Amino acid sequence: MDFAPAFDAIADIVRSIPRFDLLIAAIVAMVGGWIGAVMVHRRVPAGRVVRTLSTLALGAILITVVLQLSRFDSRIDLAVPQLGLPSQVVEGGETRIPVSPDGHYWLEAQLNGVPANFLVDTGATVTAVSQEVADRAGLAARTGGIPVRITTANGAINAQISTADTLSFGNVEASGIDVIIVPNLGQTNVLGMNVLSRLSGWRVEDRTLILVPAQADLSE
């Protein structure tokens, strides 16, 4: 039996559930658990069933949150393909980036084939691009999912999540990488840890940032 269509359907549901709905579902499940506990205490026959169902519901909500957040964490990414979620892959050859006069590491990249400069930021959880770059690269905001709210120099703002088909720089090629589209970001696109953590390693030598990705699998 082919379970792929079922996994794809589950993946679509997981991606489409917004955080507000998850919060409401969690509250309902907790209230149900409390009602079930009261029913058990009063020896109502259906009490155990209600409490069990609420526990299962809370477990399902937790799994849903983990699956959505796993897009930002390479340590959890191994479980994602089993539900049909796109794999985020970073591979290629070693790339060296000299430090810029401003003391930062900048790289010239191609985002979906569109040129864009990125600041390498190990303090950023997710790769971020400006609205202008997103428009030029044809990135569309993902509907549903957990909303992202980030803090900038101008205060806290809402950002949209999207997925880049390709992101290449130097000898590195990334595919299926999640990015956040940030309004008023200006010219400072950011390469975050959701890309860097998928490298085999990275280090700084003589004021040069050395990125070492996994080698592409040529056996297929």
Side-chain angles (χ1 to χ4, degrees), residues 90-210:
V90 180
E91 56 190 12
E94 181 178 288
T95 296
R96 293 173 175 260
I97 306 170
V99 67
S100 298
D102 62 3
H104 298 292
Y105 294 98
W106 291 86
L107 53 85
E108 297 178 356
Q110 295 276 332
L111 180 65
N112 286 354
V114 174
N117 293 329
F118 282 80
L119 169 68
V120 180
D121 186 355
T122 58
T125 303
V126 187
T127 297
V129 300
S130 67
Q131 185 67 59
E132 177 188 355
V133 169
D135 291 341
R136 289 195 288 113
L139 294 179
R142 184 186 303 161
T143 57
I146 294 179
V148 175
R149 189 167 178 81
I150 63 174
T151 301
T152 68
N154 297 321
I157 59 175
N158 292 323
Q160 301 292 328
I161 302 176
S162 184
T163 300
D165 293 331
T166 60
L167 174 61
S168 58
F169 47 91
N171 299 315
V172 178
E173 180 79 19
S175 60
I177 294 296
D178 276 7
V179 301
I180 57 174
I181 303 172
V182 185
N184 304 321
L185 188 61
Q187 301 300 316
T188 309
N189 305 297
V190 175
L191 186 76
M193 286 302 297
N194 67 319
V195 173
L196 297 175
S197 64
R198 288 177 168 83
L199 296 167
S200 290
W202 53 274
R203 64 188 187 277
V204 176
E205 292 182 1
D206 297 327
R207 296 173 60 81
T208 297
L209 177 63
I210 303 173

Side-chain angles (χ1 to χ4, degrees), residues 73-97:
D73 192 335
S74 61
R75 295 171 300 178
I76 312 176
D77 216 19
L78 292 175
V80 174
Q82 298 176 7
L83 290 179
L85 293 172
S87 297
Q88 301 184 92
V89 179
V90 180
E91 56 190 12
E94 181 178 288
T95 296
R96 293 173 175 260
I97 306 170

Side-chain angles (χ1 to χ4, degrees), residues 38-54:
V38 172
M39 293 172 67
V40 169
H41 180 72
R42 296 183 177 180
R43 302 184 184 279
V44 178
R48 293 185 182 276
V49 175
V50 173
R51 188 171 62 179
T52 299
L53 290 176
S54 67

